[in-house]
PDB file of all heavy atoms in Angstrom:
ATOM      1  N   VAL N 521      18.027  50.958  15.840  1.00 98.00           N
ATOM      2  CA  VAL N 521      17.120  52.030  15.430  1.00 98.00           C
ATOM      3  C   VAL N 521      17.406  53.232  16.317  1.00 98.00           C
ATOM      4  O   VAL N 521      17.328  53.140  17.548  1.00 98.00           O
ATOM      5  CB  VAL N 521      15.644  51.606  15.557  1.00 98.00           C
ATOM      6  CG1 VAL N 521      14.726  52.750  15.140  1.00 98.00           C
ATOM      7  CG2 VAL N 521      15.381  50.378  14.687  1.00 98.00           C
ATOM      8  N   GLY N 522      17.750  54.360  15.680  1.00 98.00           N
ATOM      9  CA  GLY N 522      18.126  55.552  16.432  1.00 98.00           C
ATOM     10  C   GLY N 522      19.633  55.655  16.548  1.00 98.00           C
ATOM     11  O   GLY N 522      20.399  54.918  15.921  1.00 98.00           O
ATOM     12  N   GLY N 523      20.068  56.602  17.379  1.00 95.00           N
ATOM     13  CA  GLY N 523      21.503  56.768  17.593  1.00 95.00           C
ATOM     14  C   GLY N 523      22.166  57.564  16.483  1.00 95.00           C
ATOM     15  O   GLY N 523      21.591  57.837  15.437  1.00 95.00           O
ATOM     16  N   SER N 524      23.415  57.902  16.712  1.00 96.00           N
ATOM     17  CA  SER N 524      24.212  58.682  15.776  1.00 96.00           C
ATOM     18  C   SER N 524      25.017  57.755  14.870  1.00 96.00           C
ATOM     19  O   SER N 524      25.116  56.545  15.133  1.00 96.00           O
ATOM     20  CB  SER N 524      25.173  59.572  16.564  1.00 96.00           C
ATOM     21  OG  SER N 524      26.079  58.764  17.301  1.00 96.00           O
ATOM     22  N   PRO N 525      25.619  58.290  13.807  1.00 97.00           N
ATOM     23  CA  PRO N 525      26.514  57.460  12.994  1.00 97.00           C
ATOM     24  C   PRO N 525      27.639  56.837  13.815  1.00 97.00           C
ATOM     25  O   PRO N 525      28.030  55.689  13.572  1.00 97.00           O
ATOM     26  CB  PRO N 525      27.057  58.456  11.959  1.00 97.00           C
ATOM     27  CG  PRO N 525      25.994  59.492  11.827  1.00 97.00           C
ATOM     28  CD  PRO N 525      25.422  59.633  13.212  1.00 97.00           C
ATOM     29  N   GLN N 526      28.141  57.575  14.797  1.00 98.00           N
ATOM     30  CA  GLN N 526      29.207  57.032  15.648  1.00 98.00           C
ATOM     31  C   GLN N 526      28.688  55.853  16.477  1.00 98.00           C
ATOM     32  O   GLN N 526      29.392  54.859  16.672  1.00 98.00           O
ATOM     33  CB  GLN N 526      29.766  58.118  16.555  1.00 98.00           C
ATOM     34  CG  GLN N 526      30.506  59.235  15.841  1.00 98.00           C
ATOM     35  CD  GLN N 526      29.580  60.208  15.123  1.00 98.00           C
ATOM     36  OE1 GLN N 526      28.401  60.324  15.482  1.00 98.00           O
ATOM     37  NE2 GLN N 526      30.115  60.906  14.131  1.00 98.00           N
ATOM     38  N   LEU N 527      27.433  55.970  16.956  1.00 98.00           N
ATOM     39  CA  LEU N 527      26.861  54.884  17.744  1.00 98.00           C
ATOM     40  C   LEU N 527      26.636  53.651  16.869  1.00 98.00           C
ATOM     41  O   LEU N 527      26.875  52.517  17.304  1.00 98.00           O
ATOM     42  CB  LEU N 527      25.549  55.338  18.391  1.00 98.00           C
ATOM     43  CG  LEU N 527      25.130  54.585  19.655  1.00 98.00           C
ATOM     44  CD1 LEU N 527      26.105  54.873  20.793  1.00 98.00           C
ATOM     45  CD2 LEU N 527      23.718  54.982  20.076  1.00 98.00           C
ATOM     46  N   TYR N 528      26.197  53.896  15.638  1.00 98.00           N
ATOM     47  CA  TYR N 528      26.008  52.762  14.733  1.00 98.00           C
ATOM     48  C   TYR N 528      27.339  52.090  14.409  1.00 98.00           C
ATOM     49  O   TYR N 528      27.423  50.856  14.318  1.00 98.00           O
ATOM     50  CB  TYR N 528      25.316  53.206  13.444  1.00 98.00           C
ATOM     51  CG  TYR N 528      25.237  52.097  12.413  1.00 98.00           C
ATOM     52  CD1 TYR N 528      24.524  50.931  12.665  1.00 98.00           C
ATOM     53  CD2 TYR N 528      25.911  52.196  11.189  1.00 98.00           C
ATOM     54  CE1 TYR N 528      24.456  49.904  11.743  1.00 98.00           C
ATOM     55  CE2 TYR N 528      25.853  51.176  10.255  1.00 98.00           C
ATOM     56  CZ  TYR N 528      25.124  50.035  10.528  1.00 98.00           C
ATOM     57  OH  TYR N 528      25.073  49.020   9.616  1.00 98.00           O
ATOM     58  N   ASP N 529      28.390  52.894  14.233  1.00 98.00           N
ATOM     59  CA  ASP N 529      29.708  52.309  13.987  1.00 98.00           C
ATOM     60  C   ASP N 529      30.114  51.383  15.137  1.00 98.00           C
ATOM     61  O   ASP N 529      30.675  50.299  14.921  1.00 98.00           O
ATOM     62  CB  ASP N 529      30.760  53.412  13.828  1.00 98.00           C
ATOM     63  CG  ASP N 529      30.623  54.158  12.508  1.00 98.00           C
ATOM     64  OD1 ASP N 529      29.947  53.637  11.603  1.00 98.00           O
ATOM     65  OD2 ASP N 529      31.196  55.260  12.392  1.00 98.00           O
ATOM     66  N   LYS N 530      29.821  51.817  16.345  1.00 98.00           N
ATOM     67  CA  LYS N 530      30.136  50.999  17.521  1.00 98.00           C
ATOM     68  C   LYS N 530      29.279  49.735  17.529  1.00 98.00           C
ATOM     69  O   LYS N 530      29.770  48.631  17.835  1.00 98.00           O
ATOM     70  CB  LYS N 530      29.908  51.804  18.797  1.00 98.00           C
ATOM     71  CG  LYS N 530      30.299  51.089  20.073  1.00 98.00           C
ATOM     72  CD  LYS N 530      30.157  52.008  21.284  1.00 98.00           C
ATOM     73  CE  LYS N 530      30.594  51.309  22.573  1.00 98.00           C
ATOM     74  NZ  LYS N 530      30.476  52.213  23.757  1.00 98.00           N
ATOM     75  N   PHE N 531      28.020  49.892  17.187  1.00 98.00           N
ATOM     76  CA  PHE N 531      27.103  48.745  17.124  1.00 98.00           C
ATOM     77  C   PHE N 531      27.589  47.746  16.083  1.00 98.00           C
ATOM     78  O   PHE N 531      27.717  46.546  16.354  1.00 98.00           O
ATOM     79  CB  PHE N 531      25.701  49.262  16.787  1.00 98.00           C
ATOM     80  CG  PHE N 531      24.642  48.198  16.710  1.00 98.00           C
ATOM     81  CD1 PHE N 531      24.057  47.686  17.862  1.00 98.00           C
ATOM     82  CD2 PHE N 531      24.207  47.713  15.480  1.00 98.00           C
ATOM     83  CE1 PHE N 531      23.065  46.717  17.797  1.00 98.00           C
ATOM     84  CE2 PHE N 531      23.222  46.744  15.400  1.00 98.00           C
ATOM     85  CZ  PHE N 531      22.645  46.243  16.564  1.00 98.00           C
ATOM     86  N   TRP N 532      27.874  48.251  14.869  1.00 98.00           N
ATOM     87  CA  TRP N 532      28.304  47.378  13.778  1.00 98.00           C
ATOM     88  C   TRP N 532      29.591  46.630  14.140  1.00 98.00           C
ATOM     89  O   TRP N 532      29.722  45.435  13.852  1.00 98.00           O
ATOM     90  CB  TRP N 532      28.536  48.223  12.520  1.00 98.00           C
ATOM     91  CG  TRP N 532      28.696  47.423  11.270  1.00 98.00           C
ATOM     92  CD1 TRP N 532      27.738  47.113  10.359  1.00 98.00           C
ATOM     93  CD2 TRP N 532      29.909  46.814  10.790  1.00 98.00           C
ATOM     94  NE1 TRP N 532      28.265  46.353   9.342  1.00 98.00           N
ATOM     95  CE2 TRP N 532      29.598  46.157   9.587  1.00 98.00           C
ATOM     96  CE3 TRP N 532      31.222  46.773  11.258  1.00 98.00           C
ATOM     97  CZ2 TRP N 532      30.555  45.472   8.839  1.00 98.00           C
ATOM     98  CZ3 TRP N 532      32.170  46.068  10.525  1.00 98.00           C
ATOM     99  CH2 TRP N 532      31.833  45.432   9.326  1.00 98.00           C
ATOM    100  N   ALA N 533      30.517  47.319  14.784  1.00 98.00           N
ATOM    101  CA  ALA N 533      31.813  46.708  15.100  1.00 98.00           C
ATOM    102  C   ALA N 533      31.705  45.633  16.174  1.00 98.00           C
ATOM    103  O   ALA N 533      32.517  44.705  16.203  1.00 98.00           O
ATOM    104  CB  ALA N 533      32.797  47.791  15.556  1.00 98.00           C
ATOM    105  N   ASN N 534      30.691  45.721  17.015  1.00 98.00           N
ATOM    106  CA  ASN N 534      30.605  44.814  18.159  1.00 98.00           C
ATOM    107  C   ASN N 534      29.555  43.725  18.017  1.00 98.00           C
ATOM    108  O   ASN N 534      29.469  42.849  18.883  1.00 98.00           O
ATOM    109  CB  ASN N 534      30.334  45.611  19.438  1.00 98.00           C
ATOM    110  CG  ASN N 534      31.546  46.366  19.920  1.00 98.00           C
ATOM    111  OD1 ASN N 534      32.402  45.834  20.615  1.00 98.00           O
ATOM    112  ND2 ASN N 534      31.647  47.647  19.525  1.00 98.00           N
ATOM    113  N   ILE N 535      28.775  43.775  16.954  1.00 98.00           N
ATOM    114  CA  ILE N 535      27.745  42.762  16.740  1.00 98.00           C
ATOM    115  C   ILE N 535      28.277  41.680  15.814  1.00 98.00           C
ATOM    116  O   ILE N 535      28.801  41.981  14.731  1.00 98.00           O
ATOM    117  CB  ILE N 535      26.470  43.389  16.138  1.00 98.00           C
ATOM    118  CG1 ILE N 535      25.792  44.286  17.170  1.00 98.00           C
ATOM    119  CG2 ILE N 535      25.513  42.312  15.654  1.00 98.00           C
ATOM    120  CD1 ILE N 535      25.270  43.549  18.388  1.00 98.00           C
ATOM    121  N   ARG N 536      28.147  40.437  16.233  1.00 97.00           N
ATOM    122  CA  ARG N 536      28.579  39.312  15.404  1.00 97.00           C
ATOM    123  C   ARG N 536      27.346  38.708  14.731  1.00 97.00           C
ATOM    124  O   ARG N 536      26.611  37.910  15.322  1.00 97.00           O
ATOM    125  CB  ARG N 536      29.304  38.271  16.256  1.00 97.00           C
ATOM    126  CG  ARG N 536      29.861  37.098  15.460  1.00 97.00           C
ATOM    127  CD  ARG N 536      30.800  36.257  16.310  1.00 97.00           C
ATOM    128  NE  ARG N 536      31.141  34.991  15.669  1.00 97.00           N
ATOM    129  CZ  ARG N 536      32.042  34.857  14.712  1.00 97.00           C
ATOM    130  NH1 ARG N 536      32.685  35.915  14.268  1.00 97.00           N
ATOM    131  NH2 ARG N 536      32.305  33.668  14.185  1.00 97.00           N
ATOM    132  N   ALA N 537      27.104  39.130  13.502  1.00 98.00           N
ATOM    133  CA  ALA N 537      25.952  38.647  12.750  1.00 98.00           C
ATOM    134  C   ALA N 537      26.220  38.846  11.266  1.00 98.00           C
ATOM    135  O   ALA N 537      27.056  39.668  10.871  1.00 98.00           O
ATOM    136  CB  ALA N 537      24.680  39.394  13.163  1.00 98.00           C
ATOM    137  N   GLY N 538      25.496  38.103  10.447  1.00 97.00           N
ATOM    138  CA  GLY N 538      25.674  38.215   9.004  1.00 97.00           C
ATOM    139  C   GLY N 538      24.901  39.360   8.386  1.00 97.00           C
ATOM    140  O   GLY N 538      25.191  39.783   7.267  1.00 97.00           O
TER     141      GLY N 538
END
Side-chain angles (χ1 to χ4, degrees):
V521 179
S524 63
Q526 293 75 23
L527 204 67
Y528 174 63
D529 288 343
K530 184 175 182 179
F531 181 80
W532 192 96
N534 286 276
I535 291 295
R536 183 168 169 79

